[in-house]
Amino acid sequence: MSGRFHRHDEPLTSEDLSKCQAALEQYCRQNKLEAGSEEGQRAAATIIELYQQGIHDERQLKLLLDNARGYGAH
């Protein structure tokens, strides 16, 4: 087992969480979802995964989330 440390292993800062929260709120508002719903929770998990992979721009997070969740290009 490797002792390598990856960015996705680092805890998120309050600034990181604020960006993720903003992306989630925008996504939920545009798709008429409650953040606490099952779909909202899945969206939040996806946003965090994307953020930990290096996607830090809120617009890019939302765009990738739309595509991942099947809401792109209405």
Side-chain angles (χ1 to χ4, degrees):
M1 185 166 185
S2 174
R4 296 178 72 192
F5 187 78
H6 299 282
R7 167 70 177 125
H8 65 269
D9 294 327
E10 293 179 25
L12 297 177
T13 66
S14 59
E15 183 180 334
D16 296 334
L17 290 173
S18 291
K19 289 180 181 180
C20 291
Q21 182 69 33
L24 177 63
E25 288 172 357
Q26 181 182 18
Y27 173 82
C28 287
R29 187 171 44 254
Q30 290 181 346
N31 293 291
K32 297 177 179 61
L33 298 171
E34 292 291 326
S37 69
E38 187 175 324
E39 176 69 16
Q41 290 177 7
R42 282 195 300 265
T46 301
I47 288 171
I48 290 172
E49 287 177 31
L50 291 168
Y51 196 91
Q52 289 175 321
Q53 291 173 18
I55 310 300
H56 295 173
D57 179 77
E58 289 173 34
R59 289 171 297 175
Q60 188 69 22
L61 283 168
K62 200 251 176 222
L63 177 65
L64 290 170
L65 181 61
D66 281 343
N67 291 333
R69 306 301 309 157
Y71 287 108
H74 285 291

